């Protein structure tokens, strides 16, 4: 009797999650099949989930001999920006978290609390001063404008620092007895144990950089240098009367993040358990 009572809440939870999954997946599937529809069919035949005739002309229109909307160039621009940004985030966040979590220096907690307080301000507040800084450095319309800002994300530092708090200090002390310095302790003792949380930070940093729309739209004005998110805005302006082509562009844009989620599910699940188990 007890097992039946326990199974009912699980059944309800399963059905609820299944419903949420269906609601989330249907728009993606509809967008995918729409990208293989002929534009005339889409606009004249009303709502039909599957196309009468599967075509690839929407993709060829975007990818072949299209100089006004170089989608492949935008794709590779986004790939370069997202990969380099992610690597920079890992370097900055891991070192900062190690400093705040392991090193002892005057005012450490006060500085960290000040950093945490900056999370209360919405990101849009930083747009004007951040643009002035980027403009002063001469980075407007360059990859660096999208790579460097956001590399020292406060939440990522907090996440790694809290994970670091669960690693016993005895490891560091044993390394110091053997004559290791701070950098040796970081690279040989601490960094290997940070792999799970750093993988989570890398995944979210990559997807966040790839999907960022507002900031790239501000700092890029050269069509050839735009990432794909900013480029899709131009695509919408040119093909607003051809939604099937817009769907093809959107499908191409989500390919990297879809692949990452597909092959890194265990790390996202692990991130949930890490976040739930973080000690204050």
């Amino acid at each position: 009797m007890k097992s039946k009572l326990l199974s009912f809440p699980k059944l309800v939870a399963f059905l609820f999650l299944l419903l949420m999954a269906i609601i989330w997946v249907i728009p993606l599937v509809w967008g995918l099949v729409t990208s293989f529809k002929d534009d005339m069919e889409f606009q004249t035949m009303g709502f039909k989930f599957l196309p009468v005739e599967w075509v690839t002309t929407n993709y060829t229109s975007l990818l072949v001999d299209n100089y006004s909307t170089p989608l492949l160039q935008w794709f590779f621009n986004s790939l370069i920006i997202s990969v380099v940004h992610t690597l920079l985030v890992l370097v900055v966040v891991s070192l900062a978290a190690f400093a705040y979590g392991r090193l002892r220096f005057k005012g450490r907690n006060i500085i960290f609390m000040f950093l945490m307080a900056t999370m209360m301000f919405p990101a849009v507040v930083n747009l004007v001063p951040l643009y002035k800084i980027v403009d002063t450095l001469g980075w407007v319309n360059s990859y660096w404008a999208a790579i460097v800002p956001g590399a020292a994300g406060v939440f990522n530092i907090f996440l790694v620092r809290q994970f670091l708090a669960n690693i016993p200090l005895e490891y560091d002390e044993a390394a110091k007895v053997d004559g290791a310095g701070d950098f040796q302790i970081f690279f040989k003792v601490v960094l290997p144990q940070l792999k799970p949380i750093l993988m989570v930070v890398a995944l979210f940093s990559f997807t966040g950089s790839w999907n960022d729309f507002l900031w790239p739209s501000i700092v890029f004005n050269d069509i050839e240098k735009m990432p794909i998110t900013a480029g899709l805005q131009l695509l919408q302006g040119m093909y607003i009367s051809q939604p099937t082509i817009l769907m093809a562009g959107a499908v191409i844009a989500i390919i990297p993040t879809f692949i990452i989620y597909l092959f890194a599910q265990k790390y996202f699940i692990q991130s949930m358990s890490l976040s739930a188990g973080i000690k204050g």
Side-chain angles (χ1 to χ4, degrees), residues 67-219:
Y67 299 104
S68 57
T69 55
L71 198 69
L72 280 180
Q73 183 63 48
W74 296 342
F75 186 92
F76 288 115
N77 290 343
S78 286
L79 196 60
I80 293 171
I81 290 170
S82 299
V83 169
V84 178
H85 173 77
T86 301
L87 293 176
L88 184 61
V89 166
L90 292 178
V91 172
V92 173
V93 167
S94 59
L95 287 171
F98 176 74
Y100 286 118
R102 283 295 203 256
L103 303 184
R104 298 290 182 266
F105 55 90
K106 189 175 181 180
R108 181 189 68 167
N109 293 331
I110 295 176
I111 296 174
F112 186 72
M113 292 304 296
F114 175 77
L115 287 177
M116 293 296 297
T118 62
M119 294 178 62
M120 295 187 297
F121 299 96
V124 70
V125 174
N126 299 323
L127 288 180
V128 173
L130 188 58
Y131 183 85
K132 288 185 175 293
I133 293 173
V134 169
D135 186 40
T136 302
L137 294 173
W139 287 352
V140 173
N141 207 38
S142 72
Y143 288 159
W144 295 113
I147 290 173
V148 176
V154 177
F155 179 75
N156 288 332
I157 295 174
F158 167 77
L159 198 63
V160 178
R161 178 182 179 269
Q162 294 303 99
F163 183 84
L164 188 62
N166 295 322
I167 300 176
L169 284 170
E170 286 76 8
Y171 293 154
D172 299 27
E173 295 169 357
K176 287 180 180 179
V177 170
D178 292 336
D182 290 332
F183 278 102
Q184 288 177 308
I185 293 173
F186 171 73
F187 285 107
K188 296 183 178 180
V189 178
V190 174
L191 191 59
Q193 300 184 70
L194 291 179
K195 181 182 176 181
I197 193 66
L198 290 181
M199 183 62 71
V200 173
V201 170
L203 291 171
F204 284 110
S205 297
F206 182 90
T207 54
S209 177
W210 184 275
N211 294 327
D212 190 15
F213 168 76
L214 180 60
W215 179 244
S217 299
I218 294 173
V219 295

Side-chain angles (χ1 to χ4, degrees), residues 34-74:
T34 300
S35 69
F36 288 99
K37 289 182 180 180
D38 179 74
D39 187 63
M40 186 63 67
E41 174 192 337
F42 178 80
Q43 298 193 32
T44 59
M45 297 193 65
F47 179 80
K48 287 182 67 68
F49 192 80
L50 295 176
V52 175
E53 180 183 357
W54 295 76
V55 298
T56 59
T57 52
N58 298 315
Y59 290 94
T60 56
S61 298
L62 290 176
L63 301 177
V64 181
D65 298 329
N66 195 332
Y67 299 104
S68 57
T69 55
L71 198 69
L72 280 180
Q73 183 63 48
W74 296 342

